[in-house]
Each structure stands twice: as C-alpha cells, then as structure tokens.
Amino acid sequence: MKKEAILEFKGISKKFGKQTVLSNVSFSIYENEIFGLLGRSGAGKTTLLHILLGLVEEDKGVILYKGRKIRPNSFAMKKKIGFAAQDTSFYPKLSVEENLWYYGRMYDVKRKVLKERITRLLELFSLQRARKVSASKLSGGMKRRLDLAICLIHDPDIIILDEPTTGLDIILSDQIWDMIKRIKEVGKTVIISSHILHQMQQHCTTFGILDQGMFYDHKGLYSFAKKHKIKSLERLFVKFLQ
Amino acid sequence: MIMQTFLNTWKNLKNIFRSWVSMSMLIIGPLLIIAILAFSFSSSGFRNVKLGYVNEAEFEMDSLVDSLSYMGKFYPYTNLDVCKDKLMRQALHGCLHIRSLGGDRVGIEAHFDNGREIISLILLENLKSAVIEKENVIVESATEGMLSQVSSVALLMDEGEALLYEMINSLEVQRRQLVDARARIHDAETKYDNALYDAHRNYDSLIVNSGEYGEDAVDEIESARTRVTNTITMMHNLRSTALYLNDSYTADQISSNINYLEDIEDDLWTLQYNVQSDMGVYKSRLGDVDDILDDADDAQVYFDDALRELNTMIITLDSRLVSLRSTKDKIYEQKNKMKEVAGMGTDALLHPFEFEYKPLFSGSKRINKEITPAVAEISEEKKRDLINYGSTQILFPLIIAILVCFIAVILSNIIVLDEMHSPAYFRGFLIPAFRQVFTASLFLTSFVIMFLQIGVLLLVAHYSFYLDVFENIWTILPVVVLIGVVFSLYGMIIAYAVKNKASSLLVCTFLLVITFILSGTIFPIERMSAFMSALAGSLPFSVSVSMLQQSLFYGIPLSQMGNQFGLLLVHVVFTAIVLAIVRFISELRKGRLV
Ligand SMILES: Nc1ncnc2c1ncn2[C@@H]1O[C@H](COP(=O)(O)OP(=O)(O)O)[C@@H](O)[C@H]1O
Ligand SMILES: [Mg+2]
C-alpha cells in the first residue's frame, strides 16, 4: 500500500546572494512519519524548513500539501504547521499558562477548546505544577517542553522541530524524544532536523541528507550503506559525505 | 595594567565603529545637529512676525513702522480687543496701543504674549530700542523746533522793529505833509475871504452907481450934444443970415442963443466925459469881481488837492495797520507756543513716550479666582505662592509637550525593541496574523501607557499648578494625544530602522535634541532662516506647543485652531505611512517575506 505523501518538495532551489544553499531539492514526507533531516551545520536544513514555514521565499520549486500546491505563507498553511526552533520562543514574563493562552488565542482556537487543550498539553509535557510560573523562571528542559506545547497549541498536522536537542544534556534529550514519540502517537507527522545522528537513527522513521545543496533520500542512503557495509548512521554519514 | 586599559579602549572603539549606526550617530549626528543649527540660525532677521497697533493718538506711525520694518509687518486695528484676540490666537506677535497722554506726549502700551516668552522678549527689546530711537529723534526735532521757534521769534521781532521804524518815518512825513496842507488851506482861506470882501465892496458900489446911468447914456448924451452942435451950426448960419440981413438984433439975439447953446454943449461934453469915466471905473470893478471869483476857484482846487492827499494818507495808514495786526497775531501765536513749551516740563520734553509692557497672560483663571479677595481667606504666603505659580504656568505648555514627546518616543521605541529582541519575536512570524496587527498592538501598548502618563501630567498641572486644564480638556487632550501619537510613531520608526537598543536610543535622543532645537524654545522660530522657519513652524512639536498655549492660557477652543489641528493630523497620517514602509523594509531585510 502506497501511503499518500502529506508534503512534497519539488525542485526547491534557494540562493543567498551567490551562495547556493538548496539546489533542486525534491522529496516527500508521509503522514505520521518522524522524518529526520540530516546535514552538517550550515547545510541548509533551517533554510529548507523556513521555506516550508513561509519565512524564506524559495527561488524555484513548489511545495505540495496532500497533493495540492500551497502557499506556505498562507494563514491556512500556518495553522497546519507547528514549529519549534532551536531557541525557545515565547514571552518570558508571561506564565506558562498565559503563554499557552496567548498563542492559542492568536491561532484563533476557541476559548473552550483552548482551555481543555491547555490542560491536556500541560499534562502531556508534565508542566501542570509550573502553569503559574513565569516562563523565564523555568528550567532549560521545561522551557523546551513549553515551546513544544506552544507548537502544538493549535493542533497542527505537521510538527517541525529544528534541532530540538542540540545543546541539551542526555537526560533532557531523552525527555524531548519521549515527547516527540508521544506527539507521533497522537497521529501527527513530525519533521526533525538535527546533526545528532545516533538520536536520529534511534527515533526517526525516515531520513534525508542535505549536503552542498543536494538532497539524498533514505533509499539512496540505504543502498549506499549496503554497498559499504555500514551499520551505524554516524559511520554512513561520515563516509557518505566524503 | 595600563596596557590592558588601552587594549580595552582599542577594542571598545573597534566595537563602536563597526556598528554603522553608532558610528554615523557619533560622527554624522553632531555634524547634522551643527548643520541644522548653522542652517537655521544663519540669518539674523525675523520671519513672519506680525504686529498690530491701535492708534488712538493720531500718532504718526510711519517712521516707527519704518524703523521696525526689519522685524515684521504692522497692521492697523481700530479696536484693541480685536487685536489682543488675534494675539491670543498667535496670529499676531504683539499689539501696540498708542494713546495720547495730553500735549505731545504719547503712551505706548506694548501687549505681548508672555506665553511665547522668548520671541516676545526679543521683539519687546527691539521695539523698546526703536521707541527710544524714535524718542531721541522727537526730542531732537522738538529741540530743533524750539530753537527754530526762538529764531523765528527773533526774526519776527526784527520784522516788527523794521515795520515800526518804517511806520515812524512815514508818520513823520505824513505829519509834515499834513502841516503843509493845513497852511495851504489856511492861505487859501484868507485869500478867499479877502476876495470875497472885495467882491462884496465892488459889488455894492456897482449896485450904487448902476442906478445913475443907463447902458446907452453916453450915446444919448453924444447924440444930444451932436444935436446941440448941429443947432449951434444952424444958429451960426442963422446969425450970418441975420447979419447978412443986417438984423443985428436978431443977430445979437441969435449970438446970445449961440453962447448959451455953446455952454450947454460944453456941459454935455463934461457930462459925456464924466459918464464915460464912470463907465470905466465900473468896468474895472467888474474885472476885480471876476478875479476874485477866479481866486475862489483856485482855492477850491487847493481844497480838493488837500483832500486827496489826506485820503492817500489814510490808505497808507490802513495798510500799515494790516501788517501791524498780522505781526501782532504772529507774535501772539509764537508766544503761545513758547508758553506751551515752557509749560511742558523737562520730563515730557525729554520723554515724549511713555512705554509700558503689558503681558497678555496673568495667570490661569483658577489662580486669579483664588487670589480675588471675594473668595480669599487665604494667607499672604499662600497668595504669594499662587502668584509665583502664575509665572511658572507660562512654562507648562512646553513642559507638557516635552514630557509627552519624551515619553512617547522613548516608550514606543523601547516597547518595539523589547518585542523585537524578545525570544518570542520569532514565533510571531509563524502565527496566522498580519504583521500590521503586531505593529498596531505595539502602538496601542505604548499609547495606553502614554495616555496614563499624560493623565497624571494633566492632573498635576490642574491640581498642583492651578492651570485651567479641565476647562479646556477637549482641546488639550486631543492635542496632547496627537502629539503623543506622532512621537510614538517616531519612536517605533526608529526602533524598526535601528534595531540595536543603544543605537536606537541614541537616535531617539538626537531626534529629541533636533526637535528642541527647532521647537522655538531655545531659539525662536521667527528668527530662523526662511526655509527652516517654515519647516520648524510646521513641525508637530511647535504646532502642539502653540495650540496648548492658546488653549491653556486663553481658553481658545479647538474649533478655532482647525488649521493647526489639521496639520497635526497630517503629521499623524504621514508618520504612520512612514512607519508602515520602514517596518516592511525592516522585516524584509532579514530575508523573510511576511
Ligand atoms: N538570511 C540569510 N542570508 C544570507 N545567508 C543565509 C541566510 N540564512 C542562511 N544563510 C546561509 O545559508 C546557509 C545555510 O544555513 P542554514 O539553513 O541555517 O544551515 P543549517 O540549518 O543546516 O545549519 C548558511 O551558510 C548560512 O550562512
Ligand atoms: Mg539550523
């Protein structure tokens, strides 16, 4: 059974000045996957995600959502995507609950629905006890969980996480991956960019690598791994990029 | 340690000069301010200064207006209140009330809007010196006038003296002529009398003699005598005849008759002679009478001549009288003038003007109400405090405007920068909302805070400084809000254009400094160069200060400041458009399209 692609990138190219960041990138992401976007620092992972989010305009190419061409910048698309950047993004002076309420209302979630959802999200991310605490006073792990909660506040189909565990210690990383799994369990599609390969190997269902503007999907990677008898993704990565 | 200090200084300088905003602010900023200063204050003249005057003294304004024309234009008014009303509305810079103080003394009341303190003081200073100059001219001309009066009096006296001398001479001549004439008339009179007497006498004798002989007496006598002679001749013939006839008797008879007749003939001769001589005397008497009559005629001519001479004399005297009278009048006039000058007093002479400064604003209504004795059960100390407040009130429109601008710029700048530097800023781009929503809400945020601060400011002005805030709240509030809005927008524009907090604040400070330089509070707008004056006069700060002055001091309603209010609105709209553009460019620059 061939699953329907929820997102399809077709021939996306992007240059910053003379520097080619993405060149003719094409791949698909299927529903309820955890898609791992790999690549060295500066490979263009964030740029690609920002194009999907409508924060950066592509030079060429189209993006299809469920087979239909979309404008990433449209409000409809924004409502379907939840995003958490490497740095958390919320108002430090507002409490956990206030932040969730603010973003929920900004996404036009009905008050009643929002109230329930906040309770559920607080529970999901174990933030119930911190609900009244000002966001700036949260620990690093809690901040990240709050960011994830905010990212889910409008109940998006697709969750995009840009390097969610970079700079976190093992315990925090594990917590985050735990959360990501739970998100997948609810039926969401998750796209994660990272260069922490062992975590990606452990948790992701599909991969793709960005390198020097080119995208290589997991099929290509598997055949490459077989050919070179490489088992660890890390080894594959290093070998591949050589 | 010294090395480290220098190293750090070097590093700091590098840091500063690598941020183009800080660098341009540090280098270009002061230069810009100096350029604006130089450009604004390069001229020494006045722009758009309008002064009204009410001339109740028939005072000759032209020279004063001329000497002050460098300051501005002068407009005549018939009513001081109308003029002062224009002054309150800042359509005029001053009103001169010119009154007569009696004599040539003129009172000049200079009404100035002390609310616009600096320009008023400058204008007043200039006016004062012009008046003193004019006063000097007047004193000079008065002195000159007096001197010329004195010399004209001297001239008049010379004239009078000459006239009197002439009069004396002509009177003496006339006297002599009169004496002469009198003598001649006297002469003629005697002659006339004598002739008349002679005439009478001759006439009488003529009358006496004319009765004895007729006009033809001599002829009758002669014919009688001829007849006698003829008879004698005839008788002689007769006697000869008789002799011849020898009739001697008869001859003798005849001879005796002849003798008799010859006697008669002789008598007749005598008689004829007598009558003839008598006739001659009579004729000469007649000639005498004729002569006398001629003399009488001569005398008449004399009389006529004398009369004519007397007439000319009267005419000459009359004309002399006329010139004497005019001289007398002139002397009288001159005398009065000199009396006037003498009565003027030294002060009036040296100070023909009484110059008085009348400040337009004498404290708010509320202060004046507190001070009035009807309400007053206030101590002297309180009263003094209140009067003191009255003078500080002048500063309030400016203080309010400055505070509002300060608060608005800095507050909105900080609010926008806080948002932009907030970790949450990024997430804003993911939210399905227009960017304008964020900008608008940032503006509203700063507006709400600003509004609260404005409220506090106005309450303080009302309750602590006794300004008529509430009475004019519907003018003051819109003005304060609009100026606040404009400066909030400025602050936001700066924040979007310059994202570094320190640099942004620096730009705000420069903006405020430039605003104050061009606000007319440091240097009056009226003294700036033409272009800068026009520019500065239409900047929102100066417009709102002007509106606040009008409404706080004189209670002028907003409806009468339509133009200025409109200008503020234009500023709001214009600044809002600029903000929209700058915000768009600013968010585009990051490579993001929103
Ligand atoms: N707004 C931008 N302007 C210019 N260059 C950019 C911009 N954003 C990213 N880049 C460049 O594009 C390249 C890819 O960056 P990025 O997508 O952030 O890499 P990654 O997320 O994989 O580390 C980098 O070399 C970066 O310098
Ligand atoms: Mg990245």
Side-chain angles (χ1 to χ4, degrees):
Chain A
M1 186 200 81
K2 194 177 186 302
K3 264 206 289 185
E4 176 94 28
I6 188 165
L7 276 175
E8 229 175 305
F9 294 82
K10 279 189 174 172
I12 301 286
S13 297
K14 178 70 190 174
K15 278 184 180 182
F16 285 117
K18 282 180 183 168
Q19 182 196 0
T20 305
V21 181
L22 301 172
S23 116
N24 202 20
V25 172
S26 302
F27 66 99
S28 298
I29 297 170
Y30 297 91
E31 223 160 318
N32 209 12
E33 275 184 347
I34 297 180
F35 184 86
L37 187 60
L38 307 177
R40 289 186 276 194
S41 240
K45 304 183 292 291
T46 303
T47 304
L48 184 65
L49 295 181
H50 280 187
I51 286 174
L52 177 59
L53 289 164
L55 298 176
V56 172
E57 206 175 23
E58 69 279 2
D59 296 338
K60 263 195 272 174
V62 286
I63 300 172
L64 303 181
Y65 174 76
K66 291 184 176 168
R68 266 204 229 139
K69 193 185 162 191
I70 50 120
R71 232 168 17 88
N73 203 19
S74 65
F75 287 180
M77 209 51 214
K78 281 178 189 259
K79 283 185 183 176
K80 294 200 162 68
I81 296 174
F83 180 71
Q86 184 179 348
D87 300 317
T88 55
S89 185
F90 46 75
Y91 289 100
K93 298 254 167 71
L94 300 185
S95 73
V96 169
E97 199 174 25
E98 282 165 345
N99 264 304
L100 286 168
W101 184 263
Y102 164 74
Y103 284 109
R105 292 297 296 149
M106 284 305 280
Y107 275 101
D108 212 9
V109 180
K110 297 278 169 293
R111 286 163 191 275
K112 247 187 179 172
V113 181
L114 183 59
K115 222 171 178 186
E116 276 171 32
R117 195 172 293 163
I118 287 173
T119 319
R120 210 153 41 78
L121 285 172
L122 288 176
E123 206 177 308
L124 180 66
F125 292 103
S126 322
L127 286 167
Q128 301 102 315
R129 284 202 285 160
R131 61 191 295 163
K132 298 283 183 209
V133 178
S134 132
S136 62
K137 297 214 172 92
L138 296 177
S139 71
M142 285 164 102
K143 276 182 182 164
R144 201 147 284 271
R145 290 196 319 253
L146 173 59
D147 210 40
L148 284 176
I150 291 169
C151 155
L152 289 168
I153 196 73
H154 57 295
D155 196 26
D157 293 347
I158 304 160
I159 315 295
I160 302 170
L161 306 172
D162 194 5
E163 316 221 13
T165 57
T166 305
L168 297 186
D169 62 39
I170 298 272
I171 296 163
L172 283 180
S173 299
D174 275 355
Q175 277 181 7
I176 295 299
W177 281 112
D178 211 30
M179 301 299 155
I180 292 168
K181 268 191 195 149
R182 282 194 217 171
I183 292 168
K184 178 191 157 35
E185 276 160 23
V186 197
K188 312 281 181 200
T189 309
V190 184
I191 305 169
I192 297 173
S193 91
S194 181
H195 58 264
I196 308 174
L197 299 164
H198 64 92
Q199 293 178 2
M200 298 289 269
Q201 183 176 18
Q202 195 180 340
H203 301 291
C204 293
T205 56
T206 334
F207 306 96
I209 289 186
L210 265 181
D211 187 56
Q212 294 184 1
M214 307 290 277
F215 181 86
Y216 305 93
D217 66 8
H218 64 283
K219 285 174 206 154
L221 287 174
Y222 282 143
S223 55
F224 185 81
K226 262 183 198 154
K227 207 168 103 188
H228 294 276
K229 299 195 164 56
I230 301 172
K231 286 219 175 97
S232 127
L233 187 63
E234 242 161 292
R235 293 290 315 146
L236 169 73
F237 198 66
V238 174
K239 195 88 184 164
F240 181 77
L241 294 187
Q242 279 166 355
Chain B
M1 201 177 81
I2 292 168
M3 195 274 282
Q4 286 171 328
T5 311
F6 281 130
L7 192 67
N8 265 304
T9 310
W10 178 236
K11 172 215 71 184
N12 292 344
L13 285 174
K14 267 187 179 168
N15 263 335
I16 288 166
F17 285 104
R18 280 184 189 162
S19 153
W20 71 268
V21 182
S22 324
M23 196 176 84
S24 54
M25 274 298 118
L26 288 171
I27 293 172
I28 300 167
L31 287 178
L32 189 75
I33 288 179
I34 288 167
I36 288 174
L37 279 171
F39 192 43
S40 303
F41 311 142
S42 57
S43 82
S44 55
F46 293 86
R47 316 277 150 213
N48 296 323
V49 170
K50 291 175 186 157
L51 295 161
Y53 63 87
V54 181
N55 194 350
E56 288 177 1
E58 286 175 21
F59 173 67
E60 182 268 309
M61 279 297 288
D62 289 356
S63 65
L64 192 66
V65 168
D66 266 0
S67 66
L68 285 171
S69 60
Y70 70 93
M71 235 163 65
K73 289 204 178 103
F74 281 78
Y75 300 89
Y77 284 86
T78 46
N79 187 331
L80 182 65
D81 287 337
V82 175
C83 191
K84 274 165 82 175
D85 192 54
K86 283 263 170 81
L87 184 59
M88 286 175 190
R89 281 151 211 255
Q90 308 199 347
L92 288 175
H93 287 85
C95 284
L96 304 183
H97 187 202
I98 296 155
R99 295 167 306 137
S100 173
L101 297 177
D104 281 341
R105 221 157 126 67
V106 169
I108 300 181
E109 266 178 13
H111 296 264
F112 275 95
D113 182 5
N114 45 329
R116 288 174 280 165
E117 210 173 9
I118 295 178
I119 183 65
S120 291
L121 287 179
I122 290 173
L123 290 176
L124 196 66
E125 207 55 47
N126 279 270
L127 183 70
K128 235 182 192 167
S129 58
V131 166
I132 287 172
E133 211 172 282
K134 166 99 176 147
E135 199 168 61
N136 285 339
V137 169
I138 287 179
V139 168
E140 211 169 279
S141 79
T143 316
E144 256 168 35
M146 272 162 64
L147 286 176
S148 85
Q149 257 173 36
V150 168
S151 70
S152 72
V153 166
L155 219 66
L156 210 65
M157 284 177 154
D158 280 351
E159 229 172 76
E161 197 187 353
L163 201 68
L164 285 172
Y165 188 73
E166 223 175 88
M167 283 288 296
I168 289 165
N169 277 346
S170 81
L171 281 175
E172 268 172 0
V173 169
Q174 275 156 17
R175 186 177 172 279
R176 242 180 281 129
Q177 281 174 348
L178 276 171
V179 168
D180 232 27
R182 194 180 63 185
R184 267 187 286 166
I185 289 169
H186 202 66
D187 234 22
E189 225 168 27
T190 2
K191 267 192 193 168
Y192 190 69
D193 279 354
N194 286 345
L196 225 56
Y197 175 71
D198 282 351
H200 274 299
R201 223 181 29 166
N202 288 333
Y203 189 69
D204 286 349
S205 74
L206 273 178
I207 299 285
V208 172
N209 292 327
S210 66
E212 286 178 38
Y213 318 103
E215 183 68 30
D216 45 1
V218 176
D219 294 338
E220 279 175 19
I221 292 165
E222 204 171 87
S223 71
R225 189 192 41 88
T226 309
R227 269 181 288 132
V228 170
T229 307
N230 288 344
T231 310
I232 289 169
T233 311
M234 201 181 56
M235 295 278 280
H236 269 295
N237 286 339
L238 280 170
R239 198 189 70 112
S240 325
T241 313
L243 273 172
Y244 181 68
L245 295 163
N246 286 341
D247 188 344
S248 140
Y249 179 70
T250 316
D252 282 336
Q253 275 256 230
I254 293 170
S255 272
S256 81
N257 278 339
I258 287 174
N259 281 345
Y260 180 67
L261 275 176
E262 279 179 346
D263 277 350
I264 288 173
E265 193 188 19
D266 280 350
D267 274 354
L268 277 172
W269 275 108
T270 310
L271 185 66
Q272 189 182 348
Y273 175 78
N274 277 340
V275 169
Q276 251 169 357
S277 83
D278 273 353
M279 283 295 269
V281 169
Y282 176 74
K283 271 193 183 135
S284 95
R285 288 291 184 271
L286 220 62
D288 279 353
V289 170
D290 276 350
D291 281 354
I292 286 160
L293 286 174
D294 279 354
D295 275 355
D297 277 352
D298 281 355
Q300 196 61 51
V301 170
Y302 269 129
F303 281 138
D304 283 353
D305 276 359
L307 219 62
R308 213 171 300 124
E309 259 172 56
L310 283 173
N311 272 338
T312 7
M313 262 179 252
I314 285 167
I315 288 166
T316 320
L317 280 173
D318 277 354
S319 80
R320 289 279 180 272
L321 214 61
V322 167
S323 57
L324 262 179
R325 278 216 184 97
S326 94
T327 308
K328 190 211 80 179
D329 285 351
K330 278 189 201 162
I331 288 174
Y332 180 80
E333 194 182 309
Q334 219 63 34
K335 183 198 75 185
N336 279 352
K337 271 189 193 165
M338 292 187 78
K339 262 190 191 163
E340 215 171 80
V341 169
M344 236 164 112
T346 329
D347 197 49
L349 195 67
L350 293 178
H351 302 290
F353 293 138
E354 193 178 280
F355 192 85
E356 233 181 314
Y357 167 50
K358 294 262 169 156
L360 196 60
F361 177 65
S362 55
S364 66
K365 282 186 197 165
R366 297 189 58 226
I367 277 200
N368 285 318
K369 208 193 255 173
E370 294 277 335
I371 294 173
T372 46
V375 186
E377 270 162 21
I378 53 173
S379 65
E380 279 303 307
E381 204 175 319
K382 177 94 197 266
K383 196 167 167 179
R384 221 177 310 121
D385 280 354
L386 285 174
I387 290 169
N388 195 32
Y389 274 146
S391 54
T392 50
Q393 282 180 332
I394 287 170
L395 296 172
F396 254 81
L398 190 68
I399 291 172
I400 290 174
I402 288 176
L403 286 179
V404 168
C405 292
F406 236 102
I407 292 167
V409 168
I410 306 282
L411 189 72
S412 64
N413 187 262
I414 286 174
I415 286 175
V416 172
L417 286 176
D418 261 1
E419 173 71 12
M420 286 202 307
H421 289 281
S422 148
Y425 183 61
F426 175 76
R427 196 171 282 287
F429 289 94
L430 304 174
I431 291 170
F434 293 108
R435 293 307 298 165
Q436 288 83 339
V437 169
F438 292 92
T439 313
S441 58
L442 284 171
F443 169 75
L444 271 177
T445 313
S446 85
F447 183 81
V448 168
I449 298 172
M450 190 188 71
F451 197 81
L452 291 175
Q453 293 190 328
I454 288 172
V456 172
L457 202 64
L458 293 183
L459 285 175
V460 169
H462 189 85
Y463 287 113
S464 302
F465 288 89
Y466 291 89
L467 278 153
D468 305 322
V469 173
F470 288 170
E471 199 175 317
N472 302 304
I473 193 72
W474 296 118
T475 307
I476 293 166
L477 207 58
V479 172
V480 171
V481 164
L482 279 197
I483 180 74
V485 166
V486 171
F487 275 80
S488 291
L489 295 175
Y490 286 166
M492 291 177 75
I493 290 170
I494 293 169
Y496 279 114
V498 182
K499 294 187 182 71
N500 180 281
K501 275 188 179 177
S503 304
S504 213
L505 215 60
L506 204 61
V507 176
C508 286
T509 313
F510 272 107
L511 176 86
L512 287 170
V513 168
I514 290 170
T515 300
F516 296 145
I517 288 174
L518 295 180
S519 69
T521 48
I522 300 167
F523 191 85
I525 290 170
E526 289 86 344
R527 304 216 66 183
M528 293 177 187
S529 60
F531 172 74
M532 282 314 243
S533 173
L535 179 79
S538 51
L539 287 180
F541 185 83
S542 43
V543 171
S544 55
V545 168
S546 159
M547 291 178 81
L548 287 177
Q549 285 171 340
Q550 292 175 58
S551 96
L552 266 180
F553 296 158
Y554 312 118
I556 291 170
L558 192 62
S559 57
Q560 294 182 13
M561 297 186 276
N563 286 349
Q564 288 182 311
F565 195 68
L567 196 58
L568 276 188
L569 283 176
V570 168
H571 272 290
V572 170
V573 172
F574 175 76
T575 320
I577 292 169
V578 172
L579 171 64
I581 294 168
V582 170
R583 204 259 325 145
F584 182 77
I585 293 171
S586 141
E587 292 188 342
L588 194 68
R589 218 168 47 186
K590 276 199 162 172
R592 296 194 174 100
L593 247 189
V594 185

